Amino acid sequence: MQFAYGARIIGVGAGLPSSIVTNEDLTKLVDTSDEWIKTRTGISARRIVKDHETATGLAIEAAKDALAFAGIGGDTIDLVIVATSTPDNLYPSTACQVQAAIGAHRAPSFDMEAACTGIVYAISVGQQFIGSGTYKRVLVVGVDIHSRFLDWEDRNTCILFGDGAGAFILEQTEKNDNEMLATYLQADGNGAHLLWIPNTGTQYPHAGVEPPKTVQRHLQMNGRAIYEFAVNAVPEAVRQATEAAGISVDDIDYMVPHQANIRIIRAAADRLGLSEDQIITNVEEMGNTSAASIPIALWQAISRGEVKIPSMLCLVGFGGGLTWGSAVVRWTAVDQRLSQSRKETAGATAGAGSVD
Ligand code: ACO
């Protein structure tokens, strides 16, 4: 795809519920064990919202964190896109509320939904607007609160998910400085029934009909089928995006996959010939945070100094729809808060020296 302008990512951020729910905690709700959950999924704990916490609140927190990382103000954002399957309300969009909270006065704002792949879809949409020259700075946020749509008596599903939000800031560059090398998006609606949350839209409640007490409104999943889908979709998406970017899989420094479970991630990495230290994962601490999982995982790895800069990343998502997709990104962004504090420390040291 030829664009008039290039794009790069200048910020990443996260918004997390404060409450941590461990596998041990879940053994009080369902017949499970820490050992079963860890070996089957790699998950030890997840963040779960308290009653007062909302998808909008987490999205705003992630957006503000990404703005601080980039060292820019919210009023410089030209477009806000929020990817979510679990908004607080059908409307207004989460994006409009984020726009107001960060003071992005002139930014059109909208939500989009591609389940766990939502953040990859949002990055790709943001890149189109930047590449065409329409907008210069785009905020994309992924947020999901699956805990409100889980059956906490169903051990097959309630152990898998966590809540959270993650954000990226995309900025226009000259064509020659482009760092967003390629994106790849896919969908197959024939697999819609494999992962879904029924009766949460206009099918329920039916107008004028008293809804039966037994209506099921919880996430439903065919775990085996999703596993099979994911271990094929991830390698395909990585290969397609790297080919479109004109590089090979060997040129990737890190894969940042959707954090569904460690077995899927490792099986996909094996098929691609990627080693353990090339996989960015935090599923152990966060569980599956759906549209938020990719930015949260990258944010955490960068915060811990685990990502060399610059590096070549492949972000890769998969989820309900079915949807899957990837983005090859050269990562050069550094946290402006750290650069600032280094400058201040250097200034203070120089100042201290000159007193003598
Ligand atoms: N604790 C203890 N036992 C459990 C639990 C649990 N939490 N959950 C299921 N079991 C039992 C089952 O009841 C079953 O018992 P049975 O043999 O007596 O019927 C047994 O464990 C084996 O169940 P399986 O479903 O065969 O377990 P499997 O090894 O396939 O692992 C899992 C299940 C982890 C869900 C696997 O299918 C998987 O990884 N699927 C991918 C799904 C996924 O990651 N979804 C995330 C959301 S989708 C997304 O983000 C795109």
Side-chain angles (χ1 to χ4, degrees):
M1 170 90 53
Q2 284 301 312
F3 290 116
Y5 294 92
R8 63 181 173 156
I9 299 181
I10 59 167
V12 61
L16 299 169
S18 50
S19 173
I20 298 171
V21 174
T22 64
N23 292 347
E24 211 51 52
D25 295 329
L26 293 182
T27 62
K28 291 166 195 138
L29 298 178
V30 288
D31 181 14
T32 189
S33 67
D34 178 47
E35 203 263 332
W36 194 99
I37 301 173
K38 262 197 211 141
T39 38
R40 297 301 221 287
T41 71
I43 300 168
S44 294
R46 69 286 291 144
R47 302 289 183 99
I48 299 290
V49 288
K50 296 261 193 213
D51 285 351
H52 67 280
E53 290 175 307
T54 61
T56 305
L58 295 180
I60 291 169
E61 199 182 320
K64 287 183 174 172
D65 191 35
L67 288 167
F69 185 108
I72 60 169
D75 57 346
T76 69
I77 296 293
D78 301 312
L79 175 69
V80 178
I81 307 173
V82 173
T84 183
S85 318
T86 54
D88 297 329
N89 302 294
L90 287 181
Y91 65 86
S93 68
T94 313
C96 281
Q97 294 168 87
V98 171
Q99 184 249 26
I102 63 168
H105 313 293
R106 58 198 164 85
S109 304
F110 63 90
D111 285 5
M112 48 170 285
E113 198 267 295
C116 303
T117 322
I119 192 75
V120 177
Y121 270 61
I123 287 172
S124 184
V125 172
Q127 184 189 18
Q128 312 298 314
F129 279 112
I130 287 178
S132 66
T134 312
Y135 300 120
K136 287 195 166 63
R137 276 189 182 153
V138 178
L139 166 69
V140 299
V141 182
V143 59
D144 272 308
I145 295 189
H146 265 96
S147 63
R148 301 242 164 95
F149 297 98
L150 295 174
D151 177 353
W152 288 98
E153 292 178 359
D154 175 16
R155 67 180 183 174
N156 292 293
T157 52
C158 76
I159 57 149
L160 295 171
F161 294 88
D163 303 326
F168 289 119
I169 293 168
L170 280 49
E171 181 178 77
Q172 192 180 81
T173 69
E174 290 308 320
K175 214 171 160 180
N176 289 341
D177 299 326
N178 180 43
E179 294 183 357
M180 297 202 55
L181 305 188
T183 62
Y184 170 74
L185 304 180
Q186 265 298 350
D188 179 8
N190 292 309
H193 60 288
L194 297 176
L195 181 61
W196 69 313
I197 310 182
N199 303 313
T200 41
T202 50
Q203 266 191 311
Y204 169 83
H206 307 283
V209 178
E210 188 66 25
K213 297 265 183 303
T214 52
V215 166
Q216 221 278 46
R217 305 186 75 210
H218 299 127
L219 179 139
Q220 294 181 17
M221 175 186 75
N222 179 331
R224 291 244 169 116
I226 291 294
Y227 183 92
E228 283 305 316
F229 151 66
V231 296
N232 289 307
V234 171
E236 183 211 320
V238 171
R239 289 196 182 104
Q240 291 284 351
T242 47
E243 193 180 314
I247 64 168
S248 87
V249 173
D250 295 341
D251 297 319
I252 295 173
D253 294 307
Y254 308 101
M255 176 172 78
V256 193
H258 165 49
Q259 308 286 310
N261 82 50
I262 201 67
R263 288 198 309 177
I264 291 177
I265 293 170
R266 287 203 179 121
D270 269 2
R271 290 182 187 197
L272 288 161
L274 297 174
S275 62
E276 189 81 9
D277 58 4
Q278 289 178 284
I279 308 169
I280 290 183
T281 177
N282 66 350
V283 69
E284 185 183 1
E285 292 164 75
M286 299 290 171
N288 177 347
T289 55
S290 195
S293 83
I294 291 174
I296 294 176
L298 185 58
W299 163 84
Q300 205 165 26
I302 289 175
S303 314
R304 291 175 176 167
E306 292 164 5
V307 176
K308 65 174 180 171
I309 297 170
S311 58
M312 191 68 80
L313 307 182
C314 187
L315 319 181
V316 54
F318 53 92
L322 299 171
T323 53
W324 63 107
S326 50
V328 174
V329 175
R330 205 173 111 81
W331 188 273
T332 57
V334 289
D335 191 333
Q336 293 304 309
R337 291 166 293 200
L338 297 179
S339 325
Q340 190 54 36
S341 69
R342 274 193 208 109
K343 271 187 215 145
E344 280 162 15
T345 311
T349 312
S354 66
V355 170
D356 295 332

